[in-house]
Amino acid sequence: MSGRLLVTGAAGFIGSHACHAFLHKGWQVAGIDNFDPFYDRRMKEEGIAGLRNHKGFRFTEGDIRDVGVLEPAMRGADVVLHLAALAGVQPSIDDPESYVSVNVGGTAALLEVCRTVGVRRVVFGSSSSVYGDAARVPFSEEDPAVAPISPYAATKRAGELQCAVYTHLYDFRVAVLRFFTVYGHRQRPDLAIHKFTRLISTDQTIRQLGDGSSERDYTHVDDIVAGVMAAVDWTRQEGPVCEIINLGESTRVRLSYLIELIGHALHREPRVQVYPPAPGDVYRTCADISKAKRLLAYDPQITIEDGIPQFVDWYRTAYGHAA
Ligand SMILES: NC(=O)c1ccc[n+]([C@@H]2O[C@H](COP(=O)([O-])OP(=O)(O)OC[C@H]3O[C@@H](n4cnc5c(N)ncnc54)[C@H](O)[C@@H]3O)[C@@H](O)[C@H]2O)c1
């Protein structure tokens, strides 16, 4: 299986891993990214540095809301992997308008360009946050997901609904993938595993939000990329449909246990100060992955007990100041 793929958000954490994996399988990959300043551009440059000279890779620096940039980038593509977004939960509370502009407006622009250039296969990177706090655990795609609790979650749900509209009106075949907290090499620095590793490795105090009993379904980026590749393959099948599919490990990891694992991998005793939970953060996530198993033969492999030491090893190599 190979072809021509456009990846939006190609220089980001998940996007850069996906580009590497598809190129490795012989795909022609066009990437687009505007190096949004949400975190250090150098980290994004590093993510795609090894690809710049790959003969199968073409990169455009630009904004997905700019049709004049997006359209030439998309020409010739068989399928689009749409990952570009403003991705943090807490910053979305401070700046909801930017989140709506990029995540809703950008997705609208992307789908319109898909329609005009004739690309009808789309894989959209959505989020477990769309389930909010009301959904039954494990989260099932059957849940209506109508009670998001942050602007970020609302914009991701809006993106999903936009995809469904393009299936209805224009026969798109779309896989909406709800990612559950993704981690691994080059994880975004705002996310807990990266942030805690940085703080513990330099003997700084962690701000633990809540009593440590909150739970996340942490999913290794290699498992996510395997699911994404299977979803891209799935879009080759016949028939217009928009399928929502959870991609998680289907495991609940307590925050207190996560901190313990990171401390253990760093050979450091974490210093923790407890603060109230942050508004907008859900208490618990956990994916029901039976649909992903059925449709995509998705089979996540990397447990948190293996993934954290791997992450810490990468962090040591990248930053050099861990124990
Ligand atoms: N990392 C996770 O845990 C997680 C969980 C659920 C969903 N997601 C979703 O997966 C996708 C990728 O997330 P990530 O963690 O790799 O985030 P990331 O911030 O590392 O990657 C997103 C990329 O999109 C780019 N971008 C932002 N606005 C853009 C614009 N207007 N035009 C072009 N490029 C733009 C950014 O520069 C960035 O490189 C996002 O859609 C996010 O909502 C991520």
Side-chain angles (χ1 to χ4, degrees), residues 239-321:
V241 65
C242 180
E243 287 287 1
I244 294 176
I245 305 169
N246 290 337
L247 290 186
E249 298 288 326
S250 205
T251 308
R252 285 149 54 170
V253 177
R254 277 173 71 102
L255 179 59
S256 54
Y257 180 56
L258 178 79
I259 294 171
E260 194 184 308
L261 281 176
I262 298 171
H264 190 257
L266 285 165
H267 309 295
R268 291 274 217 278
E269 194 58 46
R271 297 182 193 172
V272 174
Q273 205 157 3
V274 176
Y275 290 81
D281 276 350
V282 299
Y283 178 70
R284 170 179 291 139
T285 65
C286 182
D288 176 339
I289 54 172
S290 48
K291 188 171 178 183
K293 286 184 173 172
R294 181 163 47 81
L295 293 185
L296 307 178
Y298 174 69
D299 183 21
Q301 297 292 318
I302 305 174
T303 63
I304 195 79
E305 288 79 8
D306 289 338
I308 290 295
Q310 276 181 30
F311 177 81
V312 166
D313 281 349
W314 166 78
Y315 185 88
R316 281 195 177 104
T317 310
Y319 296 97
H321 53 73

Side-chain angles (χ1 to χ4, degrees), residues 8-15 32-39 44 62-65 82-87 102-103 124-128 152 156 178-183 187-188 191:
T8 72
F13 164 47
I14 300 171
I32 182 167
D33 200 299
N34 71 343
F35 294 99
D36 178 90
F38 178 46
Y39 63 91
K44 299 182 188 184
D63 194 306
I64 55 163
R65 291 165 294 180
H82 178 32
L83 298 173
L86 296 184
V102 175
N103 298 0
F124 173 55
S126 188
S127 164
S128 61
Y152 167 69
K156 291 311 258 189
R178 290 181 175 163
F179 302 149
F180 283 66
T181 318
V182 189
Y183 75 103
Q187 189 198 35
R188 290 194 343 246
L191 291 173

Side-chain angles (χ1 to χ4, degrees), residues 43-113:
M43 227 182 129
K44 299 182 188 184
E45 293 278 12
E46 277 163 29
I48 56 166
L51 305 179
R52 293 278 196 174
N53 294 324
H54 194 297
K55 63 177 174 16
F57 188 64
R58 181 161 57 89
F59 183 77
T60 306
E61 179 169 349
D63 194 306
I64 55 163
R65 291 165 294 180
D66 182 344
V67 172
V69 170
L70 188 55
E71 198 185 277
M74 196 185 294
R75 285 219 175 270
D78 305 312
V79 50
V80 169
L81 171 58
H82 178 32
L83 298 173
L86 296 184
V89 171
Q90 291 305 317
S92 76
I93 296 173
D94 298 328
D95 186 9
E97 286 179 52
S98 294
Y99 276 68
V100 170
S101 174
V102 175
N103 298 0
V104 182
T107 300
L110 178 103
L111 290 169
E112 262 306 278
V113 173

